[in-house]
Amino acid sequence: MASLKDVADLAGVGVGTVSRVVNNHVSVKPKTREKVMEAIKALNYIPNEVARNFKMQRSNMVALLLPTIWNPFFSELAFYIEDELDHAGFKLLLCNSGGKPSKELYYFDVLNQNKVAGILGITYNDIDSSIDTQIPIVSIDRHFSKSITCVTSDNYAGGRMALRELVKAGAKKPAFVGVVTSVYSETMLRKMGFVDEAAALGVDCLVYEEPDPVADEGQFFRNFLNRAEHREADGVFAITDMFAAQYIDQVGSYGIRVPEDVKVIGYDGIQNSALFHPILSTIRQPVEEMARMSVQLLLRKIDGQEPEELTYRLPVEFRPGETT
């Protein structure tokens, strides 16, 4: 692996000059900068971020803690977060926890020791006592016992919206299917909004939940459908698009057709390609806006400015598809 001295020797300059180029110092002449950049490219030199951060006493690394990168919602969120950080001159360190509390605690310990500039986090586990607010943190969806800024979509309004759309599509016996997390999360408001809107409209609704995390979503829906009253539901609002897709996959084996026999609405809006069928009706979260706002709020915290609000809820919208 090429070193700073290797680059300096190839460019015919001092090591200090290379360091100034790497750190975008304005004092370097354009021709000199060009020579150094050509040497960096030729040697495929990669700056040692840890060493640079130690010397500068300021990190340009921001950690993003996700339950899983496999979920398309989290992947899309990570894409826009990285893009916004890049525009601001920061680099992203991705921490994929698999939803395991032990792994999340490990990551927080490592991040605290290495002093990243800040942390963006999504966690549904009880790890409050291990959160060090000495490092700026912005949470997505989750509230902590400590004063940590949270960015989320308007889950409650989304739940109400889903109930109204199912009724509008003709559903008389709508059902909510989802999970219960061990700690409070804004995602729980999806069910609350659904149930409250049903009560406001005088509609009887069903609620089916299992503890999070669900090890086997296929079995989850078989458990749901094995109850006769659940098979009579003619409208289903699933807590996520992935849950909605699993329901649609399972329901056919019971002779139930979508949308002829049952209307289905998900939550997230992750299906952006018309190549997928059926196209899911869903409550679309403003993923890009959530991502960019989270970064902007974190950067303000890094600069020592506290955001005006503790929770930022962004509006959602109904995106009709072929399942209603």
Side-chain angles (χ1 to χ4, degrees):
M1 182 180 293
S3 67
L4 203 69
K5 187 176 185 306
D6 294 330
V7 174
D9 290 343
L10 183 59
V13 298
V15 171
T17 301
V18 176
S19 179
R20 286 192 292 275
V21 170
V22 169
N23 289 292
N24 293 315
H25 202 283
V26 295
S27 66
V28 183
K29 295 179 181 179
K31 286 187 178 180
T32 303
R33 183 181 301 276
E34 185 178 346
K35 285 197 302 181
V36 172
M37 292 305 295
E38 287 176 355
I40 287 173
K41 185 176 180 181
L43 294 172
N44 194 27
Y45 170 69
I46 301 174
N48 186 331
E49 293 294 337
V50 175
R52 286 173 61 195
N53 292 338
F54 181 78
K55 183 177 180 181
M56 296 164 65
Q57 291 299 302
R58 176 181 172 119
S59 173
N60 70 340
M61 301 289 289
V62 167
L64 173 60
L65 181 68
L66 293 178
T68 172
I69 200 64
W70 285 109
N71 187 301
F73 170 73
F74 296 138
S75 298
E76 185 178 352
L77 192 74
F79 174 85
Y80 290 118
I81 284 175
E82 191 281 332
D83 186 63
E84 189 70 14
L85 285 170
D86 183 57
H87 286 311
F90 285 79
K91 292 180 172 58
L92 178 69
L93 176 64
L94 180 62
C95 304
N96 185 43
S97 72
K100 300 174 182 176
S102 59
K103 200 168 182 181
E104 289 178 351
L105 292 173
Y106 165 77
Y107 274 131
F108 272 109
D109 185 49
V110 170
L111 296 173
N112 286 335
Q113 290 181 39
N114 287 277
K115 301 300 179 186
V116 292
I119 299 172
L120 293 164
I122 301 179
T123 169
Y124 303 111
N125 296 311
D126 186 7
I127 59 171
D128 282 43
S129 60
S130 299
I131 302 297
D132 183 0
T133 53
Q134 295 298 313
I135 297 178
I137 301 175
V138 170
S139 172
I140 298 171
D141 279 343
R142 161 75 186 282
H143 291 286
F144 291 90
S145 57
K146 299 169 184 175
S147 297
I148 295 175
T149 306
C150 175
V151 175
T152 185
S153 66
D154 195 338
N155 293 272
Y156 183 76
R160 300 192 73 133
M161 194 180 296
L163 189 283
R164 289 196 301 271
E165 292 296 337
L166 287 175
V167 171
K168 189 188 299 183
K172 300 292 192 298
K173 296 179 179 178
F176 170 84
V177 290
V179 294
V180 180
T181 55
S182 61
V183 293
Y184 178 74
S185 165
E186 285 275 325
T187 59
M188 294 180 179
L189 295 177
R190 298 173 191 177
K191 177 190 72 174
M192 187 181 298
F194 184 84
V195 171
D196 285 355
E197 187 67 11
L201 297 180
V203 176
D204 289 330
C205 69
L206 298 168
V207 172
Y208 180 78
E209 296 175 305
E210 290 185 12
D212 186 54
V214 173
D216 185 339
E217 290 182 4
Q219 186 59 52
F220 173 96
F221 282 104
R222 287 190 289 275
N223 294 342
F224 172 76
L225 290 164
N226 283 338
R227 299 185 183 183
E229 67 271 25
H230 292 166
R231 293 196 298 274
E232 293 175 1
D234 57 1
V236 166
F237 172 44
I239 192 168
T240 66
D241 283 353
M242 296 296 283
F243 263 49
Q246 281 284 357
Y247 171 78
I248 293 169
D249 182 61
Q250 292 289 328
V251 79
S253 61
Y254 290 81
I256 300 172
R257 301 166 300 167
V258 177
E260 292 84 358
D261 302 320
V262 60
K263 319 296 181 185
V264 180
I265 294 177
Y267 194 106
D268 279 337
I270 59 177
Q271 186 177 295
N272 291 319
S273 174
L275 295 175
F276 293 94
H277 292 285
I279 297 173
L280 184 65
S281 295
T282 185
I283 306 300
R284 169 69 177 173
Q285 297 199 71
V287 186
E288 180 175 357
E289 189 177 355
M290 288 171 64
R292 296 193 188 281
M293 176 178 280
S294 298
V295 171
Q296 290 160 12
L297 290 171
L298 182 66
L299 295 181
R300 285 168 60 183
K301 284 194 161 198
I302 291 171
D303 287 338
Q305 305 172 43
E306 279 300 316
E308 294 82 5
E309 301 175 33
L310 193 59
T311 303
Y312 291 80
R313 292 186 181 91
L314 302 180
V316 296
E317 63 178 5
F318 175 64
R319 190 174 70 187
E322 299 171 335
T323 59
T324 51

